[in-house]
Each structure stands twice: as C-alpha cells, then as structure tokens.
C-alpha cells in the first residue's frame, strides 16, 4: 500500500472521519489528485467517501446505544446539522436513522456495534 494512502487511512480513523482531505495533503492540489487516484486503486473508494463512512460509523455507534437524540448524535459526530446526518445515513444504509431499528436487516448491525 502506498505510504500516502496508508497515512490518510490512519488519519481518517484517528479523527473519526472529521478531517478535510485538503488538511491531510496540506492543500497541495497535485498531491490531492495523486492521493485520490492511488486511494481509489488501493481502497476502492475515494478518501472523501471513506471519511463519510468513518464518520457515519461513529454516529451509528451512538445511535445503537440510543442515549442521544438524533440532533445530539449529529452534532457529536461533527455533522453540520441533523438533516446532513440523515442524508448521509440514508445514502449509505437506504433508510432514515429513525427507521433503523424497524429494519430486520439492521438487527445484526446493531449487535455488532454494541
């Protein structure tokens, strides 16, 4: 795995997906394009998509524990607002967070994240 890809993946996980790709590459656009190409080849998704997935994973853990409102989960996970959180959640899962526990297919996921 190219070092830039490995470093980026580690940085995304260390920051729960809450770091801009421009920050990782120090706003060097040529490095950003190189990273995106190598990232897609190695990981299979763009750095931005992985960032969104990691951030959603953080929010999902909070949602499963059901100790917070959707608004608090959104802000704790560094979403701009609740609607941004719901949009990302629906993009990756196909359902709204409020419908999460009504879906039989999500029962296994809820067991894995407890």
């Amino acid at each position: 795995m190219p070092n830039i890809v490995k470093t980026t993946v580690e940085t995304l996980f260390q920051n729960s997906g809450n770091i801009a790709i421009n920050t990782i590459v120090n706003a060097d656009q040529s490095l950003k394009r190189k990273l995106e190409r190598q990232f897609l080849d190695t990981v299979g998704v763009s750095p931005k998509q992985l960032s969104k997935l990691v951030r959603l994973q953080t929010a999902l853990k909070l949602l499963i524990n059901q100790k917070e409102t959707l608004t608090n989960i959104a802000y704790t996970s560094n979403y701009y607002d609740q609607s941004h959180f719901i949009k990302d959640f629906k993009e990756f899962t196909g359902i709204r967070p409020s419908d999460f526990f009504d879906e039989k297919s999500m029962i296994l996921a809820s067991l894995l994240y407890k």
Side-chain angles (χ1 to χ4, degrees):
M1 177 182 306
N3 191 39
I4 189 170
V5 172
K6 183 179 180 201
T7 302
T8 301
V9 169
E10 289 171 353
T11 303
L12 289 174
F13 276 97
Q14 288 170 355
N15 291 282
S16 299
N18 294 311
I19 187 167
I21 304 305
N22 280 337
T23 302
I24 295 171
V25 296
N26 297 321
D28 182 340
Q29 292 304 309
S30 64
L31 186 57
K32 182 179 179 184
R33 286 189 292 278
K34 179 180 178 182
L35 170 65
E36 288 172 346
R37 282 191 305 273
Q38 289 183 353
F39 212 90
L40 276 171
D41 290 343
T42 306
V43 180
V45 295
S46 71
K48 177 71 173 172
Q49 282 297 99
L50 182 61
S51 177
K52 288 171 74 172
L53 283 167
V54 171
R55 184 167 53 167
L56 183 63
Q57 181 181 20
T58 301
L60 183 60
K61 288 176 186 177
L62 293 171
L63 179 64
I64 288 170
N65 291 324
Q66 294 183 330
K67 294 180 182 173
E68 300 285 338
T69 65
L70 290 180
T71 302
N72 285 341
I73 289 171
Y75 290 132
T76 301
S77 303
N78 284 332
Y79 284 93
Y80 180 73
D81 57 18
Q82 182 179 342
S83 64
H84 184 205
F85 164 59
I86 291 169
K87 178 180 171 264
D88 276 4
F89 192 94
K90 193 169 181 181
E91 175 186 342
F92 288 108
T93 66
I95 60 173
R96 296 178 315 214
S98 58
D99 297 333
F100 178 74
F101 289 104
D102 294 338
E103 290 288 318
K104 292 179 182 174
S105 62
M106 294 298 166
I107 292 172
L108 179 60
S110 69
L111 294 174
L112 294 173
Y113 282 106
K114 281 197 175 187

